[in-house]
Amino acid sequence: MTQEKIVVVDFGGQYNQLIARRIRQCHVYSEVVPYTTSLETLKDESVKGIIFTGGPNSVYLEGSPKMDERIYSLGKPILGICYGAQLISHQLGGEVVSADVSEYGRTELTTLPSRLFNGVDKQTEVFMSHTDRISKLPSSFRTIAYSKDCPIAAFECVEKDIYGTQYHPEVTHSIQGQKVLENFVYDICHCKGEWKGDTFIQDQVQKIREQVKDKKVLLGLSGGVDSAVAAALLSKAIGKNLYCVFVDHGLLRKKEAEEVERVFGASSSFDLNFIKVDASELFYEKLKGVTEPERKRKIIGATFIEVFENETNKLSDVEFLAQGTIYPDRIESGLGVSATIKSHHNVGGLPKNMKFKGLVEPLKDLFKDEVREIGLLLGLPESIVYRQPFPGPGLGIRIIGDVTPEKIQIVQDADYIFREEIKKAGIDREISQYFAALSNMRSVGVMGDFRTYDYAIVLRAVQTDDFMTAKPYPLPYDLLTRIMERIINEVKGVNRVLYDFTSKPPSTIELE
Ligand code: XMP
């Protein structure tokens, strides 16, 4: 059975991934491809519809990205969004001009009867973001929506199955945007909506088996969500032919190494070869006395590769390397171009001496929340599936100054309490990232009748979509108080708790 899909043709808009994400919410597989993709590819019978995205250019300027005009005769339904809608108009004989008034933000839209707007209110709120507008439609096209400053805010040409919206149905500010996309996917493209987690798993299991046959596969397991889900999926497909190498660098959160071993180790339900390497001593030795953040990062990265290589070189007959690469990773490294091998999960380096016959990346088309869904379906515990991001250098960059086993213990214990209380408060899934770090500051305190001279713990909790910028998460004061009291009472060596509520920028999320 060919898998039906909707192809999103990328013209450089900032919401392109989101369009694919929204289509997948309709249980139809969708992928983003560059606008230079060949017609041959788009002609494929699996392609049930095509969406042109928005983009920063003006269609009437020379050199702006265009589509091969033969696409309009393929007989595939097309939906243009923003720049995509202007492009359709421009290429089929309409006119696009610079708008007298740019529209940006929430806008009141009036819709007219159309298949695209079935079930959508006559007056609805949408998100606009444009400086050009369509001033004249190609012949046989008609307007199906307008706003105060945009007389042609959506159009259709039923005979050709071509539609366009000047606004962005994919963003949540367009209140009935998902309905519009559903209308396109189901009523116009006639998709069945059969793309679901369990079919994905069956499909991938079969593909992995076909690709690797009876050969062995190596996967570096970091304990993070992506590599864990990849391990579970590969284990289902090839069982004992999967070798998972998990390096414990001694800079993990409290109980993390044990949990990875519990889930994937010998007594777990996953029947794979789990190789745990406890390299804590080596890392502590190499980090001794090092205080400069970049040097710490470099030492941790290099030592990780050294340990990983030593281990994997023992597995001489492994032919495939598996990675937990996900869709956003590929988009960041430039889709369409041959997929760059992502640096080893969380660390930055692959075993150099090993020659692999091929790369297995079963999650490469999935978004993070889809990876999580698959993880749950494969039986991974929520504690792994909903794990928040954790940097490769681990607690090494959450301890300011030199790293010692004593400081690691302090930060692990404080962090554990922090996480426990956040979970108890029921807000763990609302906060993008939260952790305790150890400032290198020691200060005077009093406990009982004694003077203390101990460390200060820093609490950090941030809210972010892309981790490029972040806002502090507003933790309730009584919760902060409870956490502070527990840390002071339960963690030896701490007499002060500080709350870092700085945004990024100017701070970063991590302390180093
Ligand atoms: P910063 O501190 O730069 O962090 O604001 C942004 C996000 O990236 C994570 N991070 C890392 N992840 N290896 C990783 O895999 C690293 O070296 C690394 N440094 C920072 C950080 O936890 C946050 O989510």
Side-chain angles (χ1 to χ4, degrees), residues 297 346 389-393 397-398 433 467 504 508-510:
R297 279 176 173 274
N346 273 330
F390 186 64
I397 56 169
R398 290 185 181 169
Q433 202 168 357
F467 295 88
K504 172 183 179 177
T508 53
I509 295 174
E510 301 293 345

Side-chain angles (χ1 to χ4, degrees), residues 249-253 256 283-284 287-288 290-301 390-405 407-409 411-412 435-440 510-512:
H249 53 18
L251 301 163
L252 296 169
R253 286 168 289 197
E256 200 157 52
F283 279 86
Y284 297 164
L287 285 170
K288 214 176 204 163
V290 182
T291 55
E292 209 273 312
E294 270 316 294
R295 264 202 74 212
K296 277 175 28 182
R297 279 176 173 274
K298 293 229 163 74
I299 290 172
I300 297 169
F390 186 64
L395 300 180
I397 56 169
R398 290 185 181 169
I399 293 171
I400 298 178
D402 65 329
V403 177
T404 64
K407 290 181 182 175
I408 292 169
Q409 174 88 47
V411 80
Q412 278 180 336
F435 56 86
L438 189 73
S439 80
N440 205 25
E510 301 293 345
L511 269 68
E512 286 193 337

Side-chain angles (χ1 to χ4, degrees), residues 359-410:
L359 190 60
V360 188
E361 295 180 302
L363 309 176
K364 70 180 187 342
D365 294 322
L366 299 189
F367 289 101
K368 194 80 172 187
D369 50 345
E370 293 168 333
V371 171
R372 293 201 160 108
E373 192 187 321
I374 299 298
L376 291 176
L377 285 171
L378 287 165
L380 286 175
E382 291 201 358
S383 52
I384 288 218
V385 168
Y386 290 103
R387 186 162 276 178
Q388 41 164 333
F390 186 64
L395 300 180
I397 56 169
R398 290 185 181 169
I399 293 171
I400 298 178
D402 65 329
V403 177
T404 64
E406 180 211 3
K407 290 181 182 175
I408 292 169
Q409 174 88 47
I410 291 177

Side-chain angles (χ1 to χ4, degrees), residues 314-490:
K314 294 180 199 158
L315 306 168
S316 53
D317 55 345
V318 172
E319 293 198 7
F320 289 87
L321 178 74
Q323 295 197 117
T325 314
I326 69 170
Y327 200 47
D329 300 332
R330 290 201 300 138
I331 290 178
E332 274 155 30
S333 53
L335 266 182
V337 200
S338 64
T340 351
I341 294 181
K342 189 184 166 192
S343 40
H344 175 253
H345 245 204
N346 273 330
V347 241
L350 286 165
K352 283 189 227 78
N353 304 330
M354 293 186 84
K355 295 268 175 286
F356 293 102
K357 200 169 160 188
L359 190 60
V360 188
E361 295 180 302
L363 309 176
K364 70 180 187 342
D365 294 322
L366 299 189
F367 289 101
K368 194 80 172 187
D369 50 345
E370 293 168 333
V371 171
R372 293 201 160 108
E373 192 187 321
I374 299 298
L376 291 176
L377 285 171
L378 287 165
L380 286 175
E382 291 201 358
S383 52
I384 288 218
V385 168
Y386 290 103
R387 186 162 276 178
Q388 41 164 333
F390 186 64
L395 300 180
I397 56 169
R398 290 185 181 169
I399 293 171
I400 298 178
D402 65 329
V403 177
T404 64
E406 180 211 3
K407 290 181 182 175
I408 292 169
Q409 174 88 47
I410 291 177
V411 80
Q412 278 180 336
D413 289 346
D415 183 67
Y416 194 74
I417 292 171
F418 189 24
R419 284 190 288 141
E420 212 169 48
E421 289 297 327
I422 294 275
K423 191 162 170 50
K424 255 196 249 164
I427 52 175
D428 48 324
R429 302 245 183 108
E430 277 173 35
I431 313 176
S432 314
Q433 202 168 357
Y434 55 96
F435 56 86
L438 189 73
S439 80
N440 205 25
M441 179 186 102
R442 290 211 288 170
S443 63
V444 175
V446 55
M447 273 197 197
D449 294 327
F450 297 98
R451 174 191 190 272
T452 58
Y453 187 59
D454 281 335
Y455 286 109
I457 277 288
V458 177
L459 301 178
R460 184 124 174 88
V462 296
Q463 200 54 34
T464 172
D465 286 330
D466 56 9
F467 295 88
M468 307 295 283
T469 61
K471 292 188 301 200
Y473 180 90
L475 288 174
Y477 194 75
D478 55 347
L479 175 63
L480 275 171
T481 308
R482 205 160 47 245
I483 294 163
M484 175 275 291
E485 283 170 356
R486 278 198 62 193
I487 291 177
I488 295 294
N489 285 319
E490 297 173 36

Side-chain angles (χ1 to χ4, degrees), residues 48 70-77 160-161:
K48 302 293 173 203
R70 288 173 298 169
I71 195 164
Y72 302 111
S73 320
L74 289 184
K76 308 258 186 204
K160 294 198 168 94
D161 250 351

